[in-house]
Amino acid sequence: MDILENFRILDLVDILLVATLLYYLYKLVKGTVAINIFLGICIIWVMWKITQLLQMEMLSTILGQFIGAGMFALIVVFQQEIRKFLLMIGSTNIGRKTGILKHFKFLHDEAQDSSKTKVEEIIDACDKMGKVRTGALIVIQRTTHLDFVKQTGDQMNIEVNRPILESIFFKNSTLHDGAVIIEDNTIVATRAILPVSNERNIPLRFGLRHRAAVGITEKTDAVALVVSEETGNISYLKDGEFVLFKNLTELIEILRKDLS
């Protein structure tokens, strides 16, 4: 009864914020090896609290020391997840998330038209390259700047279109190795070298292009498209994960939404 009498609105806000934080942390580690470690830490913490309540001083002290020193271990174990979490916070686009552009209809429509043209050109190029088994790796910048990647390749300033993309990744072209970096509706770099992911959960059938796409989307909020040279299949990656789609029409809609 005393708890209800002393309960404040701020306490409710505090609970909701903690619940939201735990939810997003769970989403980051869900489906990875880190989820087992996360659950293990939660179990040890609960055991520590129980031993404190039961006044089991020796076991409580051992678990308490483990929890205290474990914070440094967490930084090492969850470095990829921590990077994703901080990137998610730092890359929040207020205009995109809150729909502020909707109040400026002419700006919103212009942004949609630009994204639509660009997305369709890119997917069309990927489709054509896939049919002739031409490998390709395309990275599209969102809010995180990719200057550290652009500098590894050849600087360009070419408007995105299907023939240009096909000619870049043509097997006899000097530009086909590495990744193409697209910013807005412009190809800003070719032959860019991407950080390769060390994630062990990537299926063995995926090669270096896919690992590079996973790596860049893990470390930034960019999205990537990969055309397999062996199968001609198109893969779409976001946040270090493969995004499933049924057909090219659905892929266009997903990519358009991510870039809008």
Side-chain angles (χ1 to χ4, degrees):
M1 194 67 181
D2 292 336
I3 295 176
L4 294 177
E5 290 178 354
N6 296 325
F7 193 79
R8 303 172 303 163
I9 297 296
L10 286 177
D11 294 327
L12 178 61
V13 173
D14 187 22
I15 293 171
L16 290 175
L17 289 175
V18 171
T20 302
L21 178 62
L22 291 175
Y23 170 72
Y24 279 106
L25 287 175
Y26 174 75
K27 281 187 65 177
L28 286 175
V29 300
K30 181 181 178 182
T32 67
V33 178
I35 185 64
N36 296 325
I37 301 174
F38 179 75
L39 292 175
I41 292 171
C42 291
I43 292 172
I44 292 175
W45 185 84
V46 170
M47 290 175 59
W48 177 44
K49 288 301 180 181
I50 292 174
T51 55
Q52 284 184 324
L53 289 174
L54 297 176
Q55 296 182 348
M56 301 170 65
E57 295 184 3
M58 183 176 294
L59 187 55
S60 175
T61 301
I62 294 173
L63 292 175
Q65 292 293 330
F66 179 83
I67 293 293
M71 292 304 297
F72 296 100
L74 285 178
I75 296 175
V76 177
V77 173
F78 291 104
Q79 57 180 323
Q80 293 290 347
E81 286 72 23
I82 292 172
R83 183 187 291 113
K84 286 184 182 180
F85 182 70
L86 295 177
L87 179 63
M88 180 179 65
I89 296 174
S91 300
T92 301
N93 188 321
I94 296 177
R96 183 177 67 217
K97 297 293 183 185
T98 60
I100 290 176
L101 287 178
K102 293 179 181 178
H103 298 289
F104 301 93
K105 191 174 185 302
F106 66 96
L107 290 176
H108 182 66
D109 291 343
E110 183 181 349
Q112 276 193 332
D113 292 342
S114 174
S115 176
K116 178 179 178 182
T117 302
K118 175 176 59 178
V119 168
E120 290 180 341
E121 289 284 330
I122 295 170
I123 299 304
D124 192 23
C126 290
D127 183 37
K128 295 293 190 299
M129 289 187 288
K131 289 178 179 177
V132 295
R133 301 293 193 272
T134 298
L137 175 53
I138 300 172
V139 178
I140 307 172
Q141 176 177 301
R142 294 206 289 172
T143 58
T144 306
H145 290 291
L146 300 177
D147 293 340
F148 73 101
V149 174
K150 296 181 210 173
Q151 293 171 1
T152 65
D154 298 324
Q155 304 296 309
M156 296 287 174
N157 186 20
I158 309 171
E159 184 177 351
V160 171
N161 61 71
R162 181 180 58 80
I164 287 294
L165 288 171
E166 289 185 76
S167 64
I168 289 173
F169 289 109
F170 181 63
K171 295 179 181 179
N172 294 329
S173 169
T174 57
L175 301 176
H176 80 282
D177 283 331
V180 159
I181 310 298
I182 295 177
E183 181 178 342
D184 294 327
N185 201 33
T186 305
I187 298 172
V188 295
T190 58
R191 294 204 304 175
I193 300 173
L194 305 183
V196 178
S197 174
N198 293 321
E199 179 60 53
R200 296 183 179 180
N201 292 333
I202 301 175
L204 294 176
R205 67 178 182 273
F206 294 123
L208 191 59
R209 283 193 182 93
H210 292 86
R211 286 192 169 274
V214 172
I216 191 64
T217 56
E218 278 179 341
K219 294 175 172 57
T220 72
D221 71 341
V223 294
L225 289 159
V226 183
V227 180
S228 172
E229 190 171 352
E230 288 75 24
T231 65
N233 293 333
I234 301 172
S235 299
Y236 177 54
L237 293 100
K238 176 185 174 185
D239 298 328
E241 298 178 353
F242 289 82
V243 179
L244 301 179
F245 54 90
K246 297 178 182 177
N247 49 50
L248 294 183
T249 301
E250 185 177 357
L251 175 58
I252 289 173
E253 291 300 321
I254 293 172
L255 185 54
R256 185 182 296 158
K257 181 181 178 182
D258 289 338
L259 297 177
S260 65

